[in-house]
Amino acid sequence: MAQDLPSKAAKISTRILKVAEKSLGTFRSGIDQEKLGTWDVSSDQSPSIEILHEAASYLKTQDTPVAFPTETVYGLGADATRSAAVKGIYAAKGRPSDNPLIIHVPDLDMLRGILKPANETNGVSNDAHDRIPAIYKPLIEKFWPGPLTILLQNPEPSRLAPEVTAGLATFGARMPATSLARSLIKLTGAPLAAPSANASTKPSPTTAEHVLDDLDGRIELILDGGPCQVGVESTVVDGLCDPPVVLRPGGVGIDELRTCPGWEKVEKAYRDQSEAGKAAPRAPGMKYKHYSPKARVVLYETTLAGCRDGIHPEDVEAYIRDRATGGANGSAQGKMLQVGVIRTRFWKSAGGLRCSDFKKQETVSGTASAERQDDVELHVQQAELYNTTGESRIGSLLDVGIGQDTRSIAHGLFSALRELDRRGVDIIFVEGTADNEDIGAAVMNRLRKAASQIRS
Ligand code: TXA
Ligand code: MG
């Protein structure tokens, strides 16, 4: 029977639909309306609104997720109230359903609807108290819509599918900053559970093209709203405990959280690989695969002076030796080496490795819609790579600078990893950044997960 075919066999054709992130809706204002209370979708008949209607009715009726842009990364969204739809996320990503998922809401009305037990009849809401805990009010005021996820008590019985919370008593919620996402959710009429729209283990996607690279043939719809502004996922906080904690660093820095009443003493409750017990170098095969391109990633912890000067030539030599003995990547033996370099603040071009003059400078752009100016721009330069004495050519090198300040580093990070992978490099040397209490903490958290080796 045709409907029993596994989803892989029934090859889906994937469509990218461009949506202009403009005039898609507004927050209702008026005397009694709180600022983020109700999101109204525009009643225009524009092509973008029509696409959102199509995607929303697909989300309501189908069990295959839809990819859509948020300000952090592209999400793979499914109706969070339907188990079959939520299971579809895991099928598309090719990963087991172990982690709880973040749910996305367009406004506080929808969030309050989820906080209300499912057996409570609707009627006029005359709740004596607001179900959104007071501790979160200053955060919502300051950071929503935006890259912050808050943990809330899941009511009993809950409207959310059990697959969303992975058996926990809480759920994570956020209000994304793109009006595209808010209008899509509002039209669906249900919160969307959405992890990043990458294949399992890959870096998170920040353009519609990245999503297509990973999920072509596995999902039907990708909404393209241009490159994501922030570039790393949301910060996840738990304010239900005392003191409140950060569970995942992300787009909102811990320094910014601290400025809010009740959050002055917020603590970090996650650990990066390198802190968990000096991880470098990890044995091949023991590698923690996450946010990883195909190439081997070597991260330099630049808070240490020795790592600021550039790539240690012996790291390149070690890789060449490793490859010759089949340790690194057996299939690449005998080929010329292809090295990728991602620079942030201190490294000179090529990370200081010996190479020829750069041949060309290419700009790689994301697929921004005409309305969007904040296009991802990566400047990729190419040169011939020489050995330390400069006598012989050992391969080629691709150099990408992703900026000096932590916001632009976060913005370009996943894109740079993907671009170097697309060009088939064997190894990527990454200059880290300061692991301060800003978005740099998120950058370093993701890089430490992606790295096979950490130079510190
Ligand atoms: O920026 C983002 O947050 C992106 C975009 C698409 O919005 N979404 C995203 O979602 O990263 P997701 O579902 O992959 O995030 C799941 C992570 C979990 O690994 C965990 O860290 C945290 O969110 N989380 C969610 N629910 C939780 C809960 N009940 N308790 C503890 N952590 C939770
Ligand atoms: Mg992810």
Side-chain angles (χ1 to χ4, degrees):
M1 282 183 295
Q3 68 265 38
D4 287 341
L5 285 173
S7 58
K8 255 202 215 149
K11 179 87 171 144
I12 304 176
S13 93
T14 305
R15 288 186 292 152
I16 294 190
L17 303 174
K18 279 200 195 295
V19 178
E21 171 79 28
K22 211 174 79 175
S23 319
L24 298 176
T26 47
F27 280 108
R28 197 176 295 177
S29 56
I31 316 161
D32 287 305
Q33 287 297 324
E34 65 183 330
K35 216 174 91 220
L36 306 177
T38 311
W39 175 257
D40 287 324
V41 179
S42 161
S43 54
D44 289 1
Q45 300 290 300
S46 73
S48 291
I49 294 286
E50 271 168 35
I51 289 169
L52 292 181
H53 275 283
E54 179 192 342
S57 71
Y58 185 91
L59 283 162
K60 274 190 250 190
T61 54
Q62 307 295 305
D63 298 335
T64 302
V66 171
F68 66 98
T70 78
E71 79 285 15
T72 57
V73 300
Y74 272 70
L76 193 56
D79 179 343
T81 65
R82 294 194 299 116
S83 285
V86 177
K87 285 181 185 155
I89 293 175
Y90 296 106
K93 282 186 69 122
R95 83 164 199 205
S97 52
D98 46 1
N99 272 337
L101 296 173
I102 291 169
I103 64 144
H104 299 68
V105 295
D107 51 31
L108 298 179
D109 286 353
M110 189 182 281
L111 184 61
R112 291 193 177 104
I114 302 160
L115 289 169
K116 190 187 276 201
N119 57 2
E120 255 178 52
T121 47
N122 251 331
V124 186
S125 171
N126 51 6
D127 287 344
H129 74 284
D130 189 358
R131 287 193 165 96
I132 300 173
I135 183 82
Y136 290 128
K137 293 286 168 71
L139 299 193
I140 289 173
E141 174 124 339
K142 185 153 185 198
F143 303 114
W144 275 12
L148 180 78
T149 296
I150 60 175
L151 285 204
L152 293 154
Q153 207 66 45
N154 198 22
E156 185 63 53
S158 175
R159 286 161 221 269
L160 298 174
E163 290 78 9
V164 170
T165 51
L168 297 171
T170 53
F171 68 92
R174 84 175 191 97
M175 189 189 289
T178 58
S179 61
L180 192 165
R182 291 196 302 276
S183 287
L184 176 69
I185 305 162
K186 186 75 179 211
L187 290 172
T188 306
L192 293 184
S196 48
N198 51 286
S200 181
T201 80
K202 289 293 179 62
S204 300
T206 56
T207 67
E209 249 72 67
H210 296 163
V211 179
L212 187 68
D213 285 344
D214 283 13
L215 301 180
D216 192 14
R218 305 185 75 101
I219 59 173
E220 221 163 311
L221 297 178
I222 300 173
L223 302 181
D224 182 356
C228 302
Q229 259 167 355
V230 177
V232 292
E233 295 85 347
S234 62
T235 302
V236 179
V237 297
D238 184 355
L240 304 175
C241 55
D242 187 26
V245 293
V246 174
L247 295 174
R248 178 179 77 179
V252 172
I254 197 165
D255 54 350
E256 295 175 272
L257 294 171
R258 238 180 230 129
T259 63
C260 296
W263 291 82
E264 298 85 353
K265 298 199 164 77
V266 59
E267 281 175 9
K268 193 176 127 179
Y270 63 90
R271 262 176 162 214
D272 285 356
Q273 291 295 303
S274 66
E275 298 164 296
K278 286 295 164 203
R282 255 164 276 151
M286 291 281 295
K287 185 172 152 188
Y288 186 102
K289 284 284 273 181
H290 209 151
Y291 304 107
S292 287
K294 286 190 231 87
R296 171 183 284 208
V297 174
V298 180
L299 171 65
Y300 280 57
E301 295 272 353
T302 48
T303 39
L304 298 146
C307 289
R308 272 184 209 165
D309 306 336
I311 299 161
H312 303 183
E314 62 268 29
D315 284 2
V316 179
E317 283 154 22
Y319 179 76
I320 293 171
R321 271 200 312 277
D322 217 14
R323 198 169 66 149
T325 56
N329 179 358
S331 63
Q333 277 182 62
K335 272 199 334 193
M336 284 301 246
L337 187 64
Q338 289 238 60
V339 170
V341 177
I342 297 178
R343 291 180 292 112
T344 60
R345 286 195 65 184
F346 301 107
W347 286 4
K348 294 189 299 226
S349 33
L353 293 177
R354 265 192 110 131
C355 58
S356 67
D357 288 342
F358 284 109
K359 288 208 188 69
K360 55 182 169 188
Q361 170 143 357
E362 261 181 65
T363 302
V364 183
S365 304
T367 49
S369 51
E371 291 78 13
R372 293 275 298 255
Q373 296 304 308
D374 58 337
D375 202 349
V376 174
E377 291 216 323
L378 292 175
H379 299 285
V380 184
Q381 306 190 90
Q382 204 210 325
E384 305 302 339
L385 178 65
Y386 300 123
N387 66 351
T388 30
T389 57
E391 281 155 357
S392 56
R393 183 182 163 228
I394 57 171
S396 61
L397 180 141
L398 290 168
D399 170 281
V400 192
I402 55 173
Q404 306 255 332
D405 64 286
T406 42
R407 296 226 158 250
S408 75
I409 294 167
H411 178 72
L413 175 70
F414 288 142
S415 206
L417 288 170
R418 280 181 174 267
E419 182 58 26
L420 291 174
D421 229 13
R422 203 179 62 75
R423 294 173 186 235
V425 304
D426 304 299
I427 183 165
I428 303 174
F429 292 101
V430 186
E431 176 189 356
T433 185
D435 176 6
N436 287 336
E437 296 203 318
D438 61 357
I439 199 172
V443 167
M444 290 308 287
N445 172 263
R446 308 305 190 268
L447 279 173
R448 287 167 183 152
K449 286 183 178 174
S452 310
Q453 190 185 340
I454 298 174
R455 257 285 185 191
S456 55

